[in-house]
């Protein structure tokens, strides 16, 4: 069974979202997603300053088995990327919740609240 922290929000496309005190959000892929992909060998991150609509491709993670798109769980502007993950993609396999991919300023914080909670995401992950 995957690790699904209850303090995060989730997208059905297997991204997690953490609300930060400064009004930004931190986003990564879930433990379930990294488990399904296997050993990650490459992470392509978005550009800082780029704007994305919800559900648009924003990043790519590649494993020895497959490449997978990472989708923006909400609309917003990228404010920071985690270069350490690009330099060491295996860090996502080691701890998917510590190895965040990027931070965004949401267009609308209510969009974050509308995402799945841990129990709802666990049901999606179990069905996958």
């Amino acid at each position: 069974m995957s690790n699904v922290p209850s303090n995060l929000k989730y997208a059905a496309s297997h991204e997690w979202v953490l609300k930060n005190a400064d009004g930004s959000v931190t986003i990564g892929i879930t433990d379930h997603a990294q488990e399904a992909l296997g050993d990650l060998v490459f992470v392509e991150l978005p550009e800082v300053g780029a704007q994305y609509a919800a559900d648009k491709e924003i990043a790519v993670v590649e494993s020895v088995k497959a490449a997978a798109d990472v989708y923006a769980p909400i609309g917003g502007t990228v404010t920071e990327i985690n270069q350490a993950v690009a330099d060491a993609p295996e860090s996502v396999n080691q701890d998917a919740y510590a190895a965040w991919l990027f931070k965004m300023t949401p267009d609308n914080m209510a969009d974050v609240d509308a995402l799945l909670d841990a129990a709802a995401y666990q049901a999606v992950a179990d069905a996958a």
Side-chain angles (χ1 to χ4, degrees):
M1 178 166 160
S2 298
N3 176 19
V4 184
S6 61
N7 63 317
L8 303 174
K9 290 293 204 170
Y10 299 89
S13 50
H14 308 292
E15 293 83 19
W16 58 261
V17 180
L18 172 67
K19 286 174 147 181
N20 301 316
D22 65 1
S24 68
V25 294
T26 301
I27 298 169
I29 65 169
T30 65
D31 193 47
H32 174 82
Q34 71 79 21
E35 262 179 26
L37 285 164
D39 294 336
L40 294 186
V41 294
F42 179 74
V43 176
E44 181 182 317
L45 297 170
E47 286 187 34
V48 171
Q51 290 191 296
Y52 289 87
D55 304 321
K56 294 297 179 197
E57 295 170 14
I58 192 168
V60 177
V61 290
E62 289 184 21
S63 71
V64 290
K65 294 194 293 189
D69 291 321
V70 177
Y71 297 93
I74 56 164
T77 303
V78 176
T79 56
E80 188 178 344
I81 60 169
N82 188 350
Q83 187 60 44
V85 166
D87 295 341
E90 67 277 4
S91 62
V92 177
N93 295 117
Q94 292 157 6
D95 186 342
Y97 300 108
W100 56 276
L101 301 182
F102 55 92
K103 295 183 180 182
M104 293 180 92
T105 299
D107 291 338
N108 184 348
M109 191 57 84
D111 294 343
V112 176
D113 297 327
L115 293 169
L116 303 171
D117 65 15
Y121 175 72
Q122 185 68 58
V124 169
D126 289 347

